[in-house]
Amino acid sequence: MTTRLFTSESVTEGHPDKVCDCISDAVLDAIFAQDAAARVACECAASTNLVLVMGEITTTAQVDVKDIVRDVVNSIGYNKPEYGFDATSLNVITALNHQSPDIALGVDHALEQKSGEQEALFSTGAGDQGMMFGYACDETPEYMPLPISLAHALTRKLTEARKSGEIPYLRPDGKSQVTVEYDGNTPVHINTVVVSAQHDEVDMEQLRTDIAQKVIYPILPAALCDARTRILVNPTGRFVIGGPTGDSGLTGRKIIVDTYGGYARHGGGAFSGKDPTKVDRSGAYIARYAAKHVVAAGLAKQCEIQLAYAIGVARPVSVRVDTFGTGVVDDAIIERAVEKTFDFRPAAIIETLGLRRPIYRQTAAYGHFGRHDLDLPWERLDRVDALKKAIQE
């Protein structure tokens, strides 16, 4: 087989776009803690000492959005005036409205229900049209591609080193990037690792040594590294100015970081700040849930599932399974079994995964999938036997 390279990146919670994702999901969680039936589409923009929270929210909950913003920014670590983005002095602007009644028409009563279907799971139509993808593979124990798995592990470790004081001069912003060499579909070598970390005024050689020894080497699998593995730490040199002061932030601008690092397709919809009637989020979660089961059941070494929806319609307009030639049976057989085992209607997704609860803030940074550090319902493997049985039918 011909060798090839593939690269994925991750960012810390202090990255300006991730700050916005964290705020959007924190608002969603605060509302769901009081009102499980809320409709939320909360977006956020950030710049130098400024946060704008905007969107459409229909709820009975009473939450103080400005307090939520300040709490999130402080928890991330932006709590000093010299950062140019400080939880205490931050200017917070809110521009929130109710969900459009035109959208609510289709979400409250799906097309099927209007056509006479009485089953309760037809009570909710998709909150928008669009396509979503879920993916899984057997490269890692968490059923994720190795490049994004390592990239997330590096940014989590970077944040841990900052918050624990192990590397006390780090600031919240940071990035990682991992390039893996493949022989066919098998990872065989770590080609390049890049880590860029925001910092106080510090000797750059000390920073490079600390990050290599305390962040990078503890994460990289030794069996895939050798003298040819290239390690780049803060390759531009100085990275003192960062976060929303160094670059503006926006909710939903790191969707590839949120999913599979570019290794699988992406439908284009963002997750953070959206309640689960928005299939951009819930559809992507159930597609991952189903794809992971396909691989865990031994039906394929990798699996990608596409769902597509029409606004106001409960049933997806299409379901597609692609195992990229790794399936033990034809993809059409797996596809039929998947549709028997998993219900892709929005109300069913919400019920199956228990999505009307405050579980979202924890997903806003370091990826929504393959999170061995979190107990996420779409990462469970509780229908493997049912899927195997459906294959035989």
Side-chain angles (χ1 to χ4, degrees):
M1 302 288 285
T2 302
T3 60
R4 58 189 176 91
L5 301 177
F6 194 89
T7 302
S8 294
E9 73 158 349
S10 178
V11 298
T12 68
E13 62 201 54
H15 183 279
D17 296 325
K18 278 290 144 204
V19 170
C20 294
D21 286 340
C22 289
I23 291 170
S24 293
D25 273 337
V27 171
L28 174 62
D29 275 1
I31 291 171
F32 265 177
Q34 298 181 35
D35 178 13
R39 300 281 171 78
V40 180
C42 178
E43 298 190 55
C44 178
S47 188
T48 303
N49 228 34
L50 171 68
V51 167
L52 168 62
V53 182
M54 54 195 163
E56 298 77 44
I57 297 177
T58 301
T59 183
T60 59
Q62 299 293 319
V63 299
D64 190 321
V65 172
K66 292 185 179 181
D67 280 353
I68 293 169
V69 170
R70 296 186 194 283
D71 287 346
V72 170
V73 171
N74 182 63
S75 71
I76 289 171
Y78 287 113
N79 47 27
K80 296 180 180 179
E82 58 264 35
Y83 292 168
F85 191 76
D86 172 31
T88 303
S89 61
L90 193 63
N91 183 22
V92 182
I93 301 172
T94 59
L96 297 167
N97 300 298
H98 292 289
Q99 182 181 65
S100 162
D102 294 348
I103 294 174
L105 280 174
V107 178
D108 293 341
H109 303 286
L111 179 68
E112 293 92 339
Q113 190 179 61
K114 295 172 184 175
S115 301
E117 293 276 7
Q118 297 303 310
E119 187 180 346
L121 292 178
F122 284 116
S123 63
T124 302
D128 201 353
Q129 71 172 44
M131 60 279 192
M132 303 85 218
F133 291 90
Y135 178 80
C137 63
D138 63 359
E139 289 181 23
T140 61
E142 58 270 26
Y143 296 91
M144 290 288 283
L146 184 61
I148 189 64
S149 183
L150 291 177
H152 283 322
L154 287 168
T155 51
R156 283 199 304 269
K157 186 69 172 175
L158 189 64
T159 298
E160 290 169 8
R162 171 176 62 87
K163 289 188 170 182
S164 70
E166 185 178 11
I167 306 181
Y169 52 79
L170 292 180
R171 294 185 177 186
D173 200 354
K175 292 183 175 184
S176 70
Q177 186 171 283
V178 178
T179 302
V180 174
E181 181 181 345
Y182 285 80
D183 185 353
N185 292 320
T186 303
V188 294
H189 183 246
I190 307 298
N191 180 279
T192 305
V193 175
V194 183
V195 173
S196 294
Q198 187 189 13
H199 56 85
D200 294 338
E201 297 289 353
V202 66
D203 178 75
M204 290 307 301
E205 290 309 310
Q206 180 64 51
L207 178 142
R208 290 186 172 116
T209 298
D210 284 347
I211 289 180
Q213 293 181 350
K214 299 176 181 180
V215 175
I216 297 175
Y217 293 134
I219 294 299
L220 297 186
L224 298 182
C225 299
D226 57 24
R228 296 179 296 124
T229 300
R230 193 179 185 197
I231 305 293
L232 299 172
V233 177
N234 284 35
T236 64
R238 178 184 171 91
F239 184 11
V240 173
I241 300 171
T245 299
D247 189 9
S248 61
L250 191 64
T251 297
R253 199 157 55 185
K254 284 295 179 186
I255 56 176
I256 300 303
V257 170
D258 288 340
T259 52
Y260 308 101
Y263 203 88
R265 296 176 181 94
H266 196 296
F271 299 161
S272 290
K274 295 179 180 178
D275 77 77
T277 65
K278 281 74 172 175
V279 285
D280 279 339
R281 180 168 221 161
S282 55
Y285 287 171
I286 197 73
R288 159 66 178 177
Y289 180 58
K292 187 176 179 182
H293 273 78
V294 170
V295 178
L299 301 177
K301 295 180 68 62
Q302 56 177 318
C303 177
E304 182 183 80
I305 294 179
Q306 185 201 47
L307 305 176
Y309 292 87
I311 188 169
V313 181
R315 287 193 183 95
V317 299
S318 69
V319 178
R320 179 177 184 268
V321 170
D322 189 347
T323 65
F324 307 96
T326 69
V328 298
V329 295
D330 190 81
D331 285 357
I333 297 174
I334 298 175
E335 191 173 289
R336 286 194 294 272
V338 163
E339 292 195 74
K340 288 180 182 177
T341 308
F342 303 95
D343 192 334
F344 297 118
R345 292 173 293 176
I349 299 170
I350 292 167
E351 181 181 279
T352 298
L353 301 180
L355 297 181
R356 288 195 177 279
R357 53 198 175 104
I359 59 173
Y360 298 104
R361 167 68 173 84
Q362 62 185 341
T363 68
Y366 315 112
H368 292 244
F369 307 123
R371 295 293 298 273
H372 56 78
D373 57 320
L374 302 177
D375 181 20
L376 299 175
W378 51 88
E379 291 297 314
R380 296 193 307 251
L381 289 171
D382 51 3
R383 298 193 180 186
V384 172
D385 290 342
L387 181 60
K388 288 180 178 178
K389 182 179 178 181
I391 287 286
Q392 303 301 321
E393 294 175 349

